[in-house]
Amino acid sequence: IVLSSRAPEGRLVRAAGGRSGGGALLARGFIGAGFLMTEKARLLLMAALGAAPAGASRVEAVRTAFEQRATSWMEGAAS
């Protein structure tokens, strides 16, 4: 499951509250969408699932896609 926020800006953080907050869900293995809005996260999820090689772990393919997206965003923000 990919977890995103519908807030107009910002990102999902682990500190968000309680047993059912963002931090607890991420600790259970949910994949965080980072700075992506819900609609864009859904598109990236569909693309990652479609691009996953046959027999590969689809969960890992999705996790990798979101981690690469977060890394490319951070590199762009730093320059």
Side-chain angles (χ1 to χ4, degrees):
I1 296 174
V2 176
L3 185 62
S4 67
S5 171
R6 292 189 59 98
E9 58 184 44
R11 69 180 178 93
L12 190 68
V13 294
R14 289 191 176 273
R19 293 189 341 224
S20 62
L25 297 175
L26 293 171
R28 292 185 187 136
F30 286 47
I31 299 168
F35 281 95
L36 287 178
M37 294 173 62
T38 302
E39 297 82 0
K40 292 180 181 180
R42 185 177 330 138
L43 291 173
L44 180 57
L45 173 61
M46 290 188 297
L49 288 172
S57 168
R58 289 182 145 199
V59 172
E60 286 310 311
V62 170
R63 190 176 308 281
T64 299
F66 277 89
E67 288 172 355
Q68 288 174 345
R69 174 67 175 95
T71 301
S72 67
W73 182 87
M74 287 188 291
E75 289 171 355
S79 55

